[in-house]
Amino acid sequence: VQLQASGGGLVQAGGSLRLSCAGSGLTFRTFRDYHRAWFRQAPGKERELVAAISRSDRVLSYADSVKGRFTISRDNAEKTVHLQMNSLKPEDTAVYYCAATARGTDNSRHIREVDYDYWGQGTQVTVSS
């Protein structure tokens, strides 16, 4: 499984960005079988969950710091997961990583790094004040 993150960049506070994570490399499964998530890591800090979506799409998880501002979703082809980020703040500055796992049930809530088996390369988001 390969994950490719894109969409990062430099934006002013209050602005918006949309991150995308494209999946490829599956032989016997589809990306509908995978739970997906976005994590981020700011300089000097540990990597933290930003948002996660279960493979059923019914279970969504968000960090308290992004609730009401960020939205995670899948596209119709189900290979790509997006993170719409609105009302960005300087504290959102970080490298954002997408992740995937097939563990658990359709409605599993996976919010820990160790829950995820596949990771993208990261995309830098910088929010200026």
Side-chain angles (χ1 to χ4, degrees):
V1 174
Q2 290 86 46
L3 301 175
Q4 180 73 37
S6 62
L10 173 64
V11 64
Q12 288 188 334
S16 298
L17 282 175
R18 188 185 194 218
L19 304 184
S20 297
C21 178
S24 63
L26 291 179
T27 303
F28 301 109
R29 312 182 80 159
T30 72
F31 276 95
R32 172 47 67 189
D33 295 325
Y34 287 79
H35 309 276
R36 309 287 291 275
W38 287 94
F39 287 76
R40 68 185 179 187
Q41 187 167 22
K45 295 187 177 181
E46 293 186 352
R47 192 152 55 180
E48 62 175 358
L49 176 78
V50 178
I53 184 168
S54 67
R55 61 178 176 228
S56 69
D57 291 346
R58 295 192 189 99
V59 181
L60 304 179
S61 304
Y62 292 95
D64 287 343
S65 59
V66 307
K67 283 180 181 176
R69 300 188 297 122
F70 290 11
T71 303
I72 188 170
S73 63
R74 292 180 198 262
D75 71 0
N76 290 336
E78 300 173 354
K79 290 185 179 180
T80 301
V81 171
H82 303 288
L83 184 69
Q84 178 66 43
M85 306 187 296
N86 299 327
S87 302
L88 282 161
K89 304 176 181 180
E91 50 263 44
D92 294 318
T93 295
V95 178
Y96 283 70
Y97 299 90
C98 59
T101 183
R103 305 186 204 178
T105 64
D106 288 353
N107 294 319
S108 290
R109 185 184 299 274
H110 292 300
I111 60 173
R112 304 175 304 163
E113 272 191 80
V114 295
D115 292 338
Y116 290 88
D117 298 306
Y118 305 101
W119 292 84
Q121 84 289 4
T123 184
Q124 176 70 46
V125 171
T126 303
V127 184
S128 63
S129 57

